[in-house]
Every structure is written in structure tokens, then in C-alpha cells.
Amino acid sequence: MSEPSRRGLLRDRDFGRLSAATALGQLGDRVVFLTLPLVAITELDADELQVGLLAATTTAGSLLVGLPAGAWVDRMRKRSVMISTDLVRALVLATIPVAWWTDLLTLAWLYAVALVHGVLTVFFDVAYVSCLPHLVGRGNLVEGNSILSAVRSVTSVSGPTVAGPLVGAVGAPATLVVSSAGMALSGLLATTIRKREPKPEPSRRPRLGREIKEGLTFVLRHRALRAIMLADAVFNLFLALYQSMLLVFLERELHLQAFGIGLVLSGMGCGAVLGALSATALSKRVGQGRVIWLASLLTCPLTGLMPFARPGWSMYVAAAGLAALSLGGVVRVVAQSSFQQSLTPDRLLGRMSATARFVSWGGIPLGGLLGGLSGSVFGVAATLCVGTAGMTLSVLPNLLSPLRATRTAPTGTAPESVR
């Protein structure tokens, strides 16, 4: 693909279909994010520890299949992986409202669905990230990532806005039908993408362990990629700790109903939309490497407003702090995703993505579990304060790396060598 403008990318039929599939799938994901914990809290009367365990189970797939997923995906066409995982996730989520309607729903059922859904999401995300350079070309990665982030951000606003009233009207379990439908439609729409990547050539003697090691070595030997992964690992650990108690705080401390919680999360989505719209301009003005750490440094401390919020004006100020976190998070993710993709050879894209996800997301289940334990022992507000401190300190690996002064990542075909 040539170097089109942002509007030109959207005029490309295959990229437009990917964007539409992203919107539908992300809508389903955002409804899950709000609704699954509410099913546990409102329908099964789960306590803080059980909610934290549910959050940990949701992301445990990164630890279970994080590294081999990259090697497996590199052996397959990415589009096929995305379609199949979308459709199976839709089917798995649909079992929750069915179990609820038949009075069979239990916490164990929620944990099982969360685990299976999380494992499938690992494969989907690895294929999704690896597909973009093939679809838009390496020279368009920042633009493509910005557009897809904008799409995801818009659905981050609409997802809670849709889910909140639905939860109030029909209950949290029934609302998951929307999630299931969104993912099913996303998978079906992805089948209409016409551009096919070349089928990966099978190795004469494929060895999973050797392929995993190759991807792991490439990422860990590159100073910038290593710093991004470490910073992400710290950030995601404390973000998971923070988020595991956020809904509990909003529902039990601020006494918000499902609609009010949806509005707070929609505000976070608005921040994400602004981040997506400004990501390309900020990367060019500040520098692609610099903006990766600067975005977190400026926005993470603002999440510390939430544990001190009370019903009234302070609650709105705290919600604005969450929106700022989303803005900075999207700017950072767009910059660092494009940076990682630009530096990685095509044949290693799946393994790079899987390795980065394994290291970066590996601590999320632990964060959710620690959040539940901390909430039970020290209280919900104290746990949110710990999460704020940890997210803010996550900038250090990037700040102490070459990213401190790097403006742009190289474009074109990435070299095979490590640095």
C-alpha cells in the first residue's frame, strides 16, 4: 500500500472492513468489561476477593499460552485466526445468559468462561497486531494504529453507554448477549477482507521451543523493545490492581448504579477518543520514543483523585482523572505499537507480539488477585492509591532507556539483527 492520508486508509476497502470489525468486536469487549464483574457483584453477591479472582482469571490466558501463541500464529494466516477466535468467543460468552436463565449460573461458571475467553483473546490479539503491517504497509503503521485506536475509543464510549441502561433494564447476564453478538458479527465481517497474506512457509523441522526462543531473544536483546515491555509489565500489574477495585469503589463507596458506572467508563472512553485523535500529531511533535514515557508520566498520577472522591463535585473531578489516564494510555499504545512493529521483521511479528504480551500482560492476573486481597485487608480506597503509585512509577524503564531521546523508529522492512 502506498503512503495514503488517514482518509485514504479509510477509503481502502480491506482496512475499512478491519476497522468495522474492530468496532463490533471492541463493542463486545467493552460490554464484557463492565458487565462480567457486575454479574458477580449483583447476581452472585461476590465479595472483594472473589471479584479480584475473576479479574485475574480473565487475563490468565497471557500466562498460560502467551509465548507459544506467537509461534503458532506465525505458522498461520492471521485473518483466519482472528475469524475463528471471534466466533468461538461469541459462543462462549453466550453460555452465561443461558446459564442464568436456567438457574445454573455460579461463580465457577463465570471463572471458566473468563478463562476460556481470555485464552482465545490472546490468540486474537497476537494475530490482530501481526496483521496490520501486512494490510497497510510499514510506512502507514502510526496512521493505521491511530485510526484503529480511534475506533476502539469510540466504542469505549458507546459500550458502557449501551451496557449501563441494558443492565438496569434486563440485568447484567442478559446484557452479555450484546457482547456475544458483537464478536460474532466481527468475525463474520473479517471474512470479507479480500487481501490475503502469503501463507507462511512451514519449517522443515518445526520446533516450538526453538521458535519461542527466537522471538524471546529478539525482543530481550533490543534495548528499546525490552524497556517498553518492562514498563508495560509494571503499568499493567498496577492497572489491574486498580481496576479490580474500581467498580467496587464506584458501586459500594460512591453508590453509583449501573447507569452511573457506565457514564464514568464512557468518560474514560472520551479520553481515549481524544488520545487516538491526537496520537499521530503528538508523536510527530514530541517524538515517537519520547511520547511513550511522557504520556504516562503526565496522566497516571491523576488516577489518585478517585480514592478521595465523594458523591458530588469531587466525583466528577476524579472521573476526569480517569479520562486523562485513557487519553495518555492510547497515545502511548499507538506510539509504542508502531515502534515495535517497525523494528520487527515480518516473520517474527507474531512472536514479537506474543512475547511482548506475555511479559507485559503476565502480571495482570497477579494484579487482579493482589487487588482483591488488598481490598479485603486494607480497603478499596487504599488499594486504588497503591495502583496510582505503581502506574506512575512504570515510566522509569522507558525514561532510563534510549527512548528518552528517540524521536522516530525506522520504517520499511525491519532488520533481522538485534541490537
Side-chain angles (χ1 to χ4, degrees):
M1 183 179 286
S2 61
E3 297 284 337
S5 66
R6 181 173 298 184
R7 183 178 298 176
L9 270 182
L10 288 175
R11 281 202 299 262
D12 180 81
R13 289 185 177 181
D14 283 339
F15 183 75
R17 289 164 180 165
L18 177 65
S19 300
T22 298
L24 289 168
Q26 183 68 11
L27 177 64
D29 267 337
R30 297 311 296 174
V31 174
V32 169
F33 175 78
L34 173 65
T35 307
L36 199 60
L38 287 178
V39 172
I41 294 170
T42 62
E43 301 295 331
L44 301 175
D45 199 26
D47 58 28
E48 288 84 356
L49 180 59
Q50 290 169 328
V51 174
L53 182 59
L54 180 62
T57 306
T58 302
T59 53
S62 295
L63 286 177
L64 295 176
V65 298
L67 287 177
W72 286 325
V73 168
D74 275 339
R75 299 175 185 176
M76 299 177 279
R77 286 193 172 102
K78 313 304 184 288
R79 170 180 167 274
S80 300
V81 176
M82 292 163 56
I83 293 169
S84 58
T85 51
D86 257 344
L87 295 178
V88 177
R89 284 191 299 172
L91 182 62
V92 169
L93 285 173
T95 67
I96 293 179
V98 171
W100 176 63
W101 285 325
T102 56
D103 291 326
L104 296 175
L105 186 62
T106 63
L107 277 172
W109 193 303
L110 281 187
Y111 293 148
V113 169
L115 180 61
V116 174
H117 181 271
V119 169
L120 293 170
T121 298
V122 171
F123 282 92
F124 176 88
D125 287 348
V126 170
Y128 183 82
V129 171
S130 307
C131 174
L132 190 61
H134 162 74
L135 200 61
V136 305
R138 290 179 178 272
N140 299 312
L141 284 175
V142 174
E143 300 289 344
N145 279 313
S146 295
I147 293 172
L148 293 178
S149 291
V151 171
R152 290 193 294 268
S153 300
V154 169
T155 53
S156 293
V157 177
S158 57
T161 303
V162 169
L166 277 177
V167 169
V170 301
T175 302
L176 286 171
V177 172
V178 175
S179 299
S180 178
M183 289 181 183
L185 291 173
S186 173
L188 292 174
L189 187 57
T191 63
T192 65
I193 296 175
R194 295 179 299 178
K195 188 175 182 181
R196 300 289 192 272
E197 62 181 305
K199 187 175 182 180
E201 295 184 6
S203 173
R204 292 181 179 178
R205 303 174 67 181
R207 294 181 180 177
L208 184 62
R210 183 176 59 188
E211 293 174 355
I212 291 173
K213 181 181 178 181
E214 186 179 12
L216 191 62
T217 300
F218 173 78
V219 175
L220 293 181
R221 285 185 179 177
H222 197 295
R223 289 185 65 193
L225 296 181
R226 186 172 67 242
I228 288 172
M229 280 199 315
L230 180 57
D232 260 7
V234 176
F235 176 84
N236 287 330
L237 171 70
F238 286 98
L239 177 64
L241 181 146
Y242 188 97
Q243 288 183 327
S244 68
M245 291 296 103
L246 177 59
L247 289 181
V248 177
F249 185 84
L250 294 174
E251 199 266 345
R252 294 181 179 171
E253 301 294 329
L254 296 184
H255 308 294
L256 294 179
Q257 301 301 315
F259 181 73
I261 294 174
L263 288 179
V264 171
L265 299 182
S266 294
M268 294 178 68
C270 289
V273 171
L274 292 177
L277 294 176
S278 60
T280 300
L282 288 173
S283 291
K284 291 178 179 179
R285 181 179 295 273
V286 179
Q288 195 174 343
R290 293 173 183 169
V291 81
I292 291 173
W293 58 266
L294 190 58
S296 293
L297 182 62
L298 294 177
T299 59
C300 286
L302 298 178
T303 60
L305 297 170
M306 181 56 72
F308 301 100
R310 297 295 180 268
W313 66 268
S314 63
M315 180 177 64
Y316 302 113
V317 174
L322 295 181
L325 176 71
S326 294
L327 187 155
V330 170
V331 170
R332 174 178 61 86
V333 168
V334 167
Q336 73 183 30
S337 296
S338 305
F339 200 96
Q340 290 168 316
Q341 291 162 345
S342 295
L343 292 173
T344 306
D346 286 339
R347 69 180 189 86
L348 290 174
L349 278 168
R351 278 167 282 178
M352 179 280 295
S353 176
T355 300
R357 184 187 177 98
F358 178 78
V359 176
S360 302
W361 289 44
I364 292 180
L366 178 61
L369 186 58
L370 289 176
L373 289 170
S374 177
S376 298
V377 176
F378 302 110
V380 176
T383 301
L384 294 181
C385 290
V386 172
T388 295
M391 286 188 284
T392 303
L393 291 174
S394 71
V395 304
L396 290 178
N398 286 331
L399 188 59
L400 299 176
S401 77
L403 292 170
R404 182 179 64 254
T406 301
R407 291 197 60 85
T408 58
T411 56
T413 303
E416 291 282 348
S417 60
V418 295
R419 300 172 204 175

Short mmCIF file of all heavy atoms in Angstrom, two decimals, residues 61-108:
data_model
loop_
_atom_site.label_atom_id
_atom_site.label_comp_id
_atom_site.label_asym_id
_atom_site.label_seq_id
_atom_site.Cartn_x
_atom_site.Cartn_y
_atom_site.Cartn_z
N GLY A 61 -4.94 -16.05 30.59
CA GLY A 61 -4.53 -16.63 29.31
C GLY A 61 -3.17 -16.16 28.85
O GLY A 61 -2.43 -16.90 28.18
N SER A 62 -2.79 -14.93 29.21
CA SER A 62 -1.48 -14.41 28.81
C SER A 62 -0.36 -15.24 29.41
O SER A 62 0.70 -15.42 28.80
CB SER A 62 -1.35 -12.95 29.26
OG SER A 62 -2.28 -12.14 28.59
N LEU A 63 -0.56 -15.73 30.61
CA LEU A 63 0.45 -16.58 31.24
C LEU A 63 0.40 -18.01 30.71
O LEU A 63 1.43 -18.65 30.52
CB LEU A 63 0.25 -16.60 32.76
CG LEU A 63 0.66 -15.35 33.53
CD1 LEU A 63 0.33 -15.51 35.01
CD2 LEU A 63 2.15 -15.08 33.36
N LEU A 64 -0.79 -18.51 30.44
CA LEU A 64 -0.94 -19.90 30.05
C LEU A 64 -0.45 -20.17 28.63
O LEU A 64 0.21 -21.18 28.38
CB LEU A 64 -2.41 -20.32 30.18
CG LEU A 64 -2.98 -20.33 31.60
CD1 LEU A 64 -4.47 -20.68 31.56
CD2 LEU A 64 -2.23 -21.32 32.47
N VAL A 65 -0.78 -19.28 27.69
CA VAL A 65 -0.45 -19.54 26.28
C VAL A 65 0.28 -18.36 25.64
O VAL A 65 0.43 -18.33 24.41
CB VAL A 65 -1.71 -19.88 25.46
CG1 VAL A 65 -2.37 -21.14 25.99
CG2 VAL A 65 -2.71 -18.72 25.48
N GLY A 66 0.73 -17.39 26.44
CA GLY A 66 1.30 -16.17 25.88
C GLY A 66 2.43 -16.39 24.91
O GLY A 66 2.44 -15.85 23.80
N LEU A 67 3.44 -17.19 25.29
CA LEU A 67 4.60 -17.39 24.43
C LEU A 67 4.33 -18.34 23.27
O LEU A 67 4.64 -18.01 22.11
CB LEU A 67 5.79 -17.87 25.26
CG LEU A 67 6.43 -16.81 26.16
CD1 LEU A 67 7.55 -17.42 26.99
CD2 LEU A 67 6.97 -15.65 25.33
N PRO A 68 3.76 -19.53 23.49
CA PRO A 68 3.50 -20.41 22.33
C PRO A 68 2.49 -19.84 21.34
O PRO A 68 2.54 -20.18 20.16
CB PRO A 68 2.98 -21.70 22.97
CG PRO A 68 2.56 -21.34 24.35
CD PRO A 68 3.42 -20.19 24.76
N ALA A 69 1.60 -18.94 21.79
CA ALA A 69 0.62 -18.37 20.87
C ALA A 69 1.31 -17.66 19.71
O ALA A 69 0.88 -17.77 18.56
CB ALA A 69 -0.30 -17.39 21.61
N GLY A 70 2.40 -16.95 19.97
CA GLY A 70 3.11 -16.24 18.91
C GLY A 70 3.70 -17.18 17.88
O GLY A 70 3.62 -16.94 16.67
N ALA A 71 4.31 -18.26 18.36
CA ALA A 71 4.90 -19.23 17.43
C ALA A 71 3.81 -19.90 16.59
O ALA A 71 3.98 -20.10 15.38
CB ALA A 71 5.70 -20.28 18.20
N TRP A 72 2.68 -20.24 17.21
CA TRP A 72 1.59 -20.87 16.46
C TRP A 72 0.99 -19.90 15.45
O TRP A 72 0.72 -20.28 14.30
CB TRP A 72 0.51 -21.36 17.43
CG TRP A 72 0.90 -22.60 18.18
CD1 TRP A 72 1.65 -23.64 17.72
CD2 TRP A 72 0.57 -22.92 19.54
NE1 TRP A 72 1.82 -24.60 18.70
CE2 TRP A 72 1.16 -24.19 19.82
CE3 TRP A 72 -0.16 -22.28 20.53
CZ2 TRP A 72 1.03 -24.80 21.06
CZ3 TRP A 72 -0.29 -22.89 21.77
CH2 TRP A 72 0.29 -24.14 22.03
N VAL A 73 0.79 -18.65 15.85
CA VAL A 73 0.19 -17.67 14.94
C VAL A 73 1.11 -17.39 13.76
O VAL A 73 0.64 -17.20 12.63
CB VAL A 73 -0.16 -16.37 15.70
CG1 VAL A 73 -0.50 -15.25 14.73
CG2 VAL A 73 -1.32 -16.60 16.66
N ASP A 74 2.43 -17.39 13.98
CA ASP A 74 3.37 -17.16 12.88
C ASP A 74 3.33 -18.28 11.84
O ASP A 74 3.85 -18.11 10.73
CB ASP A 74 4.80 -17.01 13.42
CG ASP A 74 5.10 -15.59 13.87
OD1 ASP A 74 4.40 -14.66 13.41
OD2 ASP A 74 6.02 -15.40 14.69
N ARG A 75 2.75 -19.40 12.19
CA ARG A 75 2.62 -20.51 11.24
C ARG A 75 1.33 -20.44 10.44
O ARG A 75 1.11 -21.24 9.53
CB ARG A 75 2.65 -21.87 11.98
CG ARG A 75 3.91 -22.15 12.76
CD ARG A 75 3.75 -23.46 13.53
NE ARG A 75 4.90 -23.74 14.39
CZ ARG A 75 4.95 -24.78 15.21
NH1 ARG A 75 3.92 -25.61 15.29
NH2 ARG A 75 6.02 -24.98 15.97
N MET A 76 0.43 -19.52 10.77
CA MET A 76 -0.90 -19.47 10.17
C MET A 76 -1.18 -18.10 9.55
O MET A 76 -0.49 -17.13 9.85
CB MET A 76 -1.97 -19.78 11.23
CG MET A 76 -1.85 -21.16 11.85
SD MET A 76 -3.08 -21.44 13.15
CE MET A 76 -2.29 -20.61 14.54
N ARG A 77 -2.21 -18.04 8.73
CA ARG A 77 -2.68 -16.76 8.23
C ARG A 77 -3.42 -16.04 9.36
O ARG A 77 -4.29 -16.61 10.01
CB ARG A 77 -3.61 -16.94 7.03
CG ARG A 77 -2.87 -17.32 5.75
CD ARG A 77 -3.79 -17.17 4.56
NE ARG A 77 -3.08 -17.33 3.30
CZ ARG A 77 -3.10 -18.43 2.55
NH1 ARG A 77 -3.82 -19.47 2.95
NH2 ARG A 77 -2.43 -18.49 1.41
N LYS A 78 -3.05 -14.77 9.58
CA LYS A 78 -3.58 -14.04 10.73
C LYS A 78 -5.09 -13.82 10.63
O LYS A 78 -5.80 -13.85 11.63
CB LYS A 78 -2.86 -12.68 10.85
CG LYS A 78 -1.33 -12.75 10.73
CD LYS A 78 -0.71 -13.69 11.72
CE LYS A 78 0.82 -13.67 11.65
NZ LYS A 78 1.37 -14.31 10.44
N ARG A 79 -5.58 -13.59 9.43
CA ARG A 79 -7.01 -13.35 9.24
C ARG A 79 -7.83 -14.55 9.71
O ARG A 79 -8.87 -14.40 10.37
CB ARG A 79 -7.28 -13.05 7.77
CG ARG A 79 -8.75 -13.01 7.36
CD ARG A 79 -8.84 -12.70 5.87
NE ARG A 79 -10.19 -12.95 5.36
CZ ARG A 79 -10.61 -14.14 4.94
NH1 ARG A 79 -9.79 -15.18 4.98
NH2 ARG A 79 -11.83 -14.29 4.47
N SER A 80 -7.37 -15.76 9.40
CA SER A 80 -8.10 -16.97 9.80
C SER A 80 -8.15 -17.11 11.31
O SER A 80 -9.17 -17.53 11.87
CB SER A 80 -7.43 -18.20 9.18
OG SER A 80 -7.44 -18.12 7.76
N VAL A 81 -7.05 -16.76 11.98
CA VAL A 81 -7.01 -16.84 13.43
C VAL A 81 -8.02 -15.85 14.03
O VAL A 81 -8.76 -16.18 14.98
CB VAL A 81 -5.60 -16.55 13.96
CG1 VAL A 81 -5.57 -16.54 15.49
CG2 VAL A 81 -4.61 -17.58 13.43
N MET A 82 -8.06 -14.63 13.50
CA MET A 82 -8.98 -13.62 14.01
C MET A 82 -10.43 -14.06 13.86
O MET A 82 -11.25 -13.91 14.78
CB MET A 82 -8.74 -12.30 13.27
CG MET A 82 -7.40 -11.65 13.57
SD MET A 82 -6.94 -10.38 12.36
CE MET A 82 -8.35 -9.27 12.45
N ILE A 83 -10.78 -14.62 12.72
CA ILE A 83 -12.17 -15.03 12.47
C ILE A 83 -12.57 -16.14 13.44
O ILE A 83 -13.63 -16.07 14.08
CB ILE A 83 -12.33 -15.50 11.01
CG1 ILE A 83 -12.14 -14.32 10.05
CG2 ILE A 83 -13.70 -16.14 10.80
CD1 ILE A 83 -12.01 -14.73 8.59
N SER A 84 -11.75 -17.17 13.54
CA SER A 84 -12.12 -18.32 14.36
C SER A 84 -12.21 -17.96 15.84
O SER A 84 -13.15 -18.38 16.54
CB SER A 84 -11.13 -19.47 14.15
OG SER A 84 -9.81 -19.06 14.47
N THR A 85 -11.28 -17.15 16.33
CA THR A 85 -11.33 -16.80 17.75
C THR A 85 -12.51 -15.89 18.07
O THR A 85 -13.12 -16.01 19.14
CB THR A 85 -10.02 -16.12 18.20
OG1 THR A 85 -9.70 -15.04 17.30
CG2 THR A 85 -8.87 -17.11 18.20
N ASP A 86 -12.86 -14.98 17.16
CA ASP A 86 -14.05 -14.15 17.36
C ASP A 86 -15.31 -14.99 17.50
O ASP A 86 -16.13 -14.78 18.40
CB ASP A 86 -14.22 -13.18 16.18
CG ASP A 86 -13.78 -11.76 16.53
OD1 ASP A 86 -13.64 -11.46 17.72
OD2 ASP A 86 -13.57 -10.96 15.60
N LEU A 87 -15.48 -15.96 16.61
CA LEU A 87 -16.70 -16.75 16.62
C LEU A 87 -16.79 -17.65 17.85
O LEU A 87 -17.87 -17.80 18.45
CB LEU A 87 -16.77 -17.60 15.34
CG LEU A 87 -16.89 -16.80 14.02
CD1 LEU A 87 -16.90 -17.74 12.82
CD2 LEU A 87 -18.14 -15.93 14.02
N VAL A 88 -15.66 -18.22 18.26
CA VAL A 88 -15.69 -19.09 19.44
C VAL A 88 -15.91 -18.27 20.71
O VAL A 88 -16.64 -18.68 21.61
CB VAL A 88 -14.40 -19.93 19.53
CG1 VAL A 88 -14.40 -20.78 20.80
CG2 VAL A 88 -14.26 -20.82 18.31
N ARG A 89 -15.30 -17.06 20.78
CA ARG A 89 -15.55 -16.21 21.95
C ARG A 89 -17.02 -15.83 22.06
O ARG A 89 -17.58 -15.76 23.16
CB ARG A 89 -14.68 -14.93 21.86
CG ARG A 89 -13.23 -15.14 22.18
CD ARG A 89 -12.49 -13.82 22.34
NE ARG A 89 -12.50 -13.01 21.15
CZ ARG A 89 -12.06 -11.76 21.08
NH1 ARG A 89 -11.58 -11.18 22.18
NH2 ARG A 89 -12.07 -11.08 19.96
N ALA A 90 -17.64 -15.58 20.92
CA ALA A 90 -19.07 -15.25 20.93
C ALA A 90 -19.88 -16.40 21.51
O ALA A 90 -20.80 -16.19 22.32
CB ALA A 90 -19.53 -14.93 19.51
N LEU A 91 -19.54 -17.61 21.11
CA LEU A 91 -20.27 -18.78 21.60
C LEU A 91 -20.06 -18.97 23.10
O LEU A 91 -21.02 -19.27 23.84
CB LEU A 91 -19.80 -20.02 20.83
CG LEU A 91 -20.48 -21.34 21.18
CD1 LEU A 91 -21.97 -21.27 20.85
CD2 LEU A 91 -19.82 -22.49 20.41
N VAL A 92 -18.84 -18.78 23.57
CA VAL A 92 -18.53 -18.98 24.99
C VAL A 92 -19.29 -17.96 25.85
O VAL A 92 -19.86 -18.30 26.89
CB VAL A 92 -17.01 -18.88 25.22
CG1 VAL A 92 -16.69 -18.79 26.71
CG2 VAL A 92 -16.30 -20.07 24.60
N LEU A 93 -19.29 -16.71 25.43
CA LEU A 93 -19.99 -15.68 26.21
C LEU A 93 -21.49 -15.93 26.27
O LEU A 93 -22.15 -15.61 27.26
CB LEU A 93 -19.72 -14.29 25.61
CG LEU A 93 -18.34 -13.70 25.86
CD1 LEU A 93 -18.17 -12.41 25.06
CD2 LEU A 93 -18.13 -13.43 27.34
N ALA A 94 -22.04 -16.50 25.21
CA ALA A 94 -23.48 -16.75 25.16
C ALA A 94 -23.92 -17.76 26.21
O ALA A 94 -25.11 -17.83 26.54
CB ALA A 94 -23.88 -17.24 23.77
N THR A 95 -22.97 -18.54 26.75
CA THR A 95 -23.37 -19.53 27.76
C THR A 95 -23.77 -18.89 29.09
O THR A 95 -24.50 -19.50 29.87
CB THR A 95 -22.23 -20.54 28.02
OG1 THR A 95 -21.12 -19.87 28.64
CG2 THR A 95 -21.79 -21.20 26.73
N ILE A 96 -23.30 -17.65 29.36
CA ILE A 96 -23.62 -17.02 30.64
C ILE A 96 -25.10 -16.67 30.74
O ILE A 96 -25.76 -17.04 31.72
CB ILE A 96 -22.73 -15.79 30.88
CG1 ILE A 96 -21.28 -16.22 31.07
CG2 ILE A 96 -23.21 -15.01 32.11
CD1 ILE A 96 -20.31 -15.08 31.30
N PRO A 97 -25.70 -15.94 29.78
CA PRO A 97 -27.14 -15.69 29.90
C PRO A 97 -27.97 -16.97 29.87
O PRO A 97 -29.01 -17.05 30.54
CB PRO A 97 -27.45 -14.79 28.69
CG PRO A 97 -26.29 -14.90 27.79
CD PRO A 97 -25.11 -15.20 28.64
N VAL A 98 -27.50 -17.99 29.12
CA VAL A 98 -28.23 -19.26 29.10
C VAL A 98 -28.21 -19.90 30.48
O VAL A 98 -29.24 -20.38 30.99
CB VAL A 98 -27.62 -20.22 28.05
CG1 VAL A 98 -28.24 -21.60 28.18
CG2 VAL A 98 -27.84 -19.67 26.64
N ALA A 99 -27.03 -19.91 31.13
CA ALA A 99 -26.93 -20.48 32.48
C ALA A 99 -27.77 -19.68 33.48
O ALA A 99 -28.37 -20.26 34.40
CB ALA A 99 -25.46 -20.50 32.91
N TRP A 100 -27.81 -18.37 33.31
CA TRP A 100 -28.60 -17.53 34.22
C TRP A 100 -30.09 -17.81 34.06
O TRP A 100 -30.82 -17.95 35.04
CB TRP A 100 -28.29 -16.06 33.93
CG TRP A 100 -29.09 -15.08 34.71
CD1 TRP A 100 -29.10 -14.92 36.07
CD2 TRP A 100 -30.03 -14.13 34.19
NE1 TRP A 100 -29.97 -13.91 36.42
CE2 TRP A 100 -30.55 -13.40 35.29
CE3 TRP A 100 -30.44 -13.80 32.91
CZ2 TRP A 100 -31.47 -12.38 35.13
CZ3 TRP A 100 -31.36 -12.79 32.74
CH2 TRP A 100 -31.87 -12.09 33.84
N TRP A 101 -30.55 -17.90 32.81
CA TRP A 101 -31.97 -18.15 32.56
C TRP A 101 -32.40 -19.52 33.09
O TRP A 101 -33.57 -19.73 33.42
CB TRP A 101 -32.27 -18.06 31.06
CG TRP A 101 -32.28 -16.65 30.56
CD1 TRP A 101 -32.71 -15.55 31.24
CD2 TRP A 101 -31.83 -16.18 29.29
NE1 TRP A 101 -32.54 -14.42 30.46
CE2 TRP A 101 -32.01 -14.77 29.26
CE3 TRP A 101 -31.29 -16.79 28.17
CZ2 TRP A 101 -31.68 -13.99 28.16
CZ3 TRP A 101 -30.95 -16.02 27.07
CH2 TRP A 101 -31.14 -14.63 27.08
N THR A 102 -31.46 -20.48 33.17
CA THR A 102 -31.80 -21.83 33.63
C THR A 102 -31.40 -22.06 35.09
O THR A 102 -31.39 -23.21 35.55
CB THR A 102 -31.11 -22.88 32.74
OG1 THR A 102 -29.70 -22.64 32.71
CG2 THR A 102 -31.67 -22.83 31.32
N ASP A 103 -31.04 -20.98 35.78
CA ASP A 103 -30.67 -21.04 37.20
C ASP A 103 -29.46 -21.93 37.46
O ASP A 103 -29.34 -22.56 38.52
CB ASP A 103 -31.85 -21.54 38.06
CG ASP A 103 -32.98 -20.51 38.11
OD1 ASP A 103 -32.69 -19.31 38.09
OD2 ASP A 103 -34.15 -20.94 38.15
N LEU A 104 -28.54 -21.99 36.51
CA LEU A 104 -27.33 -22.80 36.67
C LEU A 104 -26.08 -21.93 36.87
O LEU A 104 -24.99 -22.47 37.05
CB LEU A 104 -27.13 -23.70 35.44
CG LEU A 104 -28.20 -24.77 35.20
CD1 LEU A 104 -27.93 -25.49 33.88
CD2 LEU A 104 -28.23 -25.75 36.36
N LEU A 105 -26.23 -20.62 36.82
CA LEU A 105 -25.07 -19.74 36.86
C LEU A 105 -24.42 -19.74 38.25
O LEU A 105 -25.09 -19.57 39.27
CB LEU A 105 -25.47 -18.31 36.49
CG LEU A 105 -24.33 -17.30 36.35
CD1 LEU A 105 -23.38 -17.72 35.24
CD2 LEU A 105 -24.89 -15.91 36.09
N THR A 106 -23.11 -19.95 38.27
CA THR A 106 -22.32 -19.93 39.51
C THR A 106 -21.04 -19.13 39.27
O THR A 106 -20.68 -18.82 38.13
CB THR A 106 -21.95 -21.35 39.95
OG1 THR A 106 -21.11 -21.94 38.94
CG2 THR A 106 -23.18 -22.21 40.16
N LEU A 107 -20.34 -18.83 40.36
CA LEU A 107 -19.04 -18.18 40.22
C LEU A 107 -18.06 -19.06 39.45
O LEU A 107 -17.25 -18.56 38.65
CB LEU A 107 -18.48 -17.84 41.61
CG LEU A 107 -18.97 -16.54 42.23
CD1 LEU A 107 -18.49 -16.42 43.68
CD2 LEU A 107 -18.52 -15.32 41.42
N ALA A 108 -18.11 -20.36 39.69
CA ALA A 108 -17.22 -21.27 38.96
C ALA A 108 -17.47 -21.18 37.46
O ALA A 108 -16.53 -21.23 36.65
CB ALA A 108 -17.42 -22.71 39.45
#
